[in-house]
Amino acid sequence: MIRTAGVLTAAALAAALLTGCSGTSGDSGNGDGPVTLTYWDFMDPSQSNPRSAALKQNIENFEKDNPNIHVQLSTVSFGDMIGRLPQAAAAGQTPDVVKMFAPVVPQIAAAQVYEPLPEEAKKITDWLRPVDKLAGKDGKQVAVPYDYRTCTLYYNDKILKKIGATVPTTWDEVANVAGKAAAAGFTGFGTGFSGVDNSAIISTFFDCFMSEVGQNISGQDGKASFATDKGKEFADFLVKLKKAGGMAPSVVGDQTSTVTDGLQNGTAAMAVLGTERIVTLKKTNPDIKWTTLPKASNGSNKGSTFGWTLGIGAGTKHADAAWKFIEYMTGPKAGAVMASGGDIPTRAATFKAPFFSTPEAKTVRDVSKFVKDHSEPHTYPENWIAISGGLANAGQELYLNNRSADEFMKAAQDAANK
């Protein structure tokens, strides 16, 4: 049975820290007695969407296969996780299992949130992408990939046909098409400069764009160093988009959910979001199509590989049970269920499951190949959250006060390096 604690409030967190987040038993999960694993996830398994349903089913299946291990899930937003996990670690009350966005793993590892993965983790050798980047400063691996994703260009085929536009293949073309769509009463290009969820929408877009142009986000000293001629193409696009009228007036407060809603309800012509939304968007609005990222003028159309990860919380009393849960959730059985919700599994063995031979799995197989062919993983700096916040603030200034591309890049970089 999934024990769902719901979204944690500050009061609930305080209570959790006092009562203990690492379960109700000191047993290790080896069959000596019942264990309750505490698990923080940003997804709510009670919601009626394919990804939530897959999470709910996987936890129920895990508990059925492991009757001595119960999973107590707390739904915590990504933005709240960033602040609360270091607090919990400092109090010695980290959850047993931590789900975390890959770009933030180095920063969370530096806050001593993780327990190094056990030796058993090295026995898994069929990861579809290298896992060595999911490590702390000491080089010890602290997390494994839960899903893979990259950026893709979503577009509303009906809107583009209505305005007589073809699918853009360069960023200049995106700005032009967005302007035409806006003139016809639509949001031309959905993005957002909101700080909610640590500015995930603009920072993810930026991450993929920097991969396209081959620009390192930070130097060897860990400081942000993306305000270069190559990196500036990202800001140039944003300026052109604004001048074309392709941004919605709400862009300063828009976030991933609002942009996704715009695609679903047919008010947005285009957007760059993660591939994990392909299955859901195809189901909710058949007019939504997806394609490769537009090509950068001085680069490629290959973005970054990212996604969510699972790790063991520091100081857990249930390390064996926690690893058993992580191994299950990233393994073939759970991976096949997860894929039914649109997430891309991370291990080769998963794709041997019967589900992947069915017509229903075609989209997931296509997306997996897309991620492989059109993205590359890279190491993230420990100040990723500061970079994300700097990008959001600089974007607000660009839109509200007509800042130039140079001003955008300098402001975002300076904010990250404070």
Side-chain angles (χ1 to χ4, degrees), residues 63-354:
E63 291 184 328
K64 183 178 179 180
D65 291 350
N66 298 272
N68 282 343
I69 304 176
H70 301 291
V71 178
Q72 180 176 305
L73 185 150
S74 293
T75 304
V76 187
S77 71
F78 174 44
D80 285 344
M81 277 191 194
I82 302 302
R84 292 175 177 178
L85 280 171
Q87 293 175 5
Q93 301 293 345
T94 315
D96 297 306
V97 179
V98 176
K99 191 173 186 180
M100 181 49 58
F101 198 43
V104 192
V105 167
Q107 185 165 339
I108 294 299
Q112 300 181 328
V113 169
Y114 291 113
E115 194 84 13
L117 294 181
E119 286 297 312
E120 288 87 341
K122 297 178 181 178
K123 296 178 182 179
I124 300 178
T125 58
D126 65 339
W127 301 110
L128 296 175
R129 289 287 189 278
V131 296
D132 59 314
K133 301 183 191 324
L134 300 174
K137 278 186 175 180
D138 57 5
K140 293 182 179 179
Q141 188 180 344
V142 296
V144 294
Y146 173 78
D147 76 319
Y148 290 135
R149 60 186 69 173
T150 188
C151 301
T152 189
L153 176 68
Y154 293 94
Y155 64 95
N156 187 306
D157 191 53
K158 184 177 181 180
I159 293 176
L160 264 57
K161 287 178 178 177
K162 181 176 182 178
I163 63 175
T166 57
V167 180
T169 59
T170 69
W171 291 109
D172 282 348
E173 290 176 0
V174 171
N176 291 334
V177 173
K180 292 179 181 178
F186 301 99
T187 296
F189 182 88
T191 190
F193 302 133
S194 168
V196 173
D197 278 346
N198 291 292
S199 316
I201 183 168
I202 189 63
S203 61
T204 298
F205 182 20
F206 167 82
D207 182 21
C208 284
F209 206 110
M210 292 301 103
S211 291
E212 280 197 301
V213 299
Q215 174 61 54
N216 290 330
I217 295 173
S218 63
Q220 292 184 346
D221 59 0
K223 291 187 176 181
S225 58
F226 51 79
T228 65
D229 289 341
K230 288 195 299 184
K232 181 173 168 285
E233 186 172 347
F234 177 72
D236 286 335
F237 166 70
L238 295 178
V239 170
K240 291 175 183 176
L241 185 64
K242 181 181 184 299
K243 288 182 177 179
M247 287 182 177
S250 59
V251 68
V252 295
D254 283 345
Q255 53 189 285
T256 301
S257 61
T258 49
V259 172
T260 303
D261 288 345
L263 289 171
Q264 290 178 326
N265 62 32
T267 60
M270 295 175 290
V272 168
L273 295 171
T275 49
E276 76 281 0
R277 299 180 186 276
I278 287 174
V279 170
T280 299
L281 286 170
K282 281 169 65 70
K283 288 182 178 179
T284 56
N285 188 343
D287 293 323
I288 299 300
K289 312 295 182 183
W290 59 284
T291 187
T292 56
L293 288 176
K295 190 174 181 180
S297 65
N298 60 353
S300 68
N301 60 1
K302 183 174 285 190
S304 57
T305 307
F306 50 97
W308 287 84
T309 67
L310 294 175
I312 300 175
T316 178
K317 297 177 181 178
H318 313 307
D320 290 343
W323 172 248
K324 184 176 289 187
F325 177 65
I326 291 172
E327 186 177 24
Y328 180 89
M329 293 295 282
T330 57
K333 184 175 179 180
V337 174
M338 182 180 74
S340 69
D343 285 319
I344 303 304
T346 55
R347 291 180 54 189
T350 302
F351 287 87
K352 298 177 183 178

Side-chain angles (χ1 to χ4, degrees), residues 315-386:
T316 178
K317 297 177 181 178
H318 313 307
D320 290 343
W323 172 248
K324 184 176 289 187
F325 177 65
I326 291 172
E327 186 177 24
Y328 180 89
M329 293 295 282
T330 57
K333 184 175 179 180
V337 174
M338 182 180 74
S340 69
D343 285 319
I344 303 304
T346 55
R347 291 180 54 189
T350 302
F351 287 87
K352 298 177 183 178
F355 168 75
F356 292 96
S357 298
T358 66
E360 292 76 15
K362 182 181 184 305
T363 298
V364 174
R365 293 196 306 269
D366 290 346
V367 176
S368 180
K369 185 177 186 304
F370 180 88
V371 173
K372 178 182 177 182
D373 294 343
H374 295 282
S375 69
E376 291 288 345
H378 65 86
T379 302
Y380 289 90
E382 289 183 12
N383 61 342
W384 183 251
I385 297 302

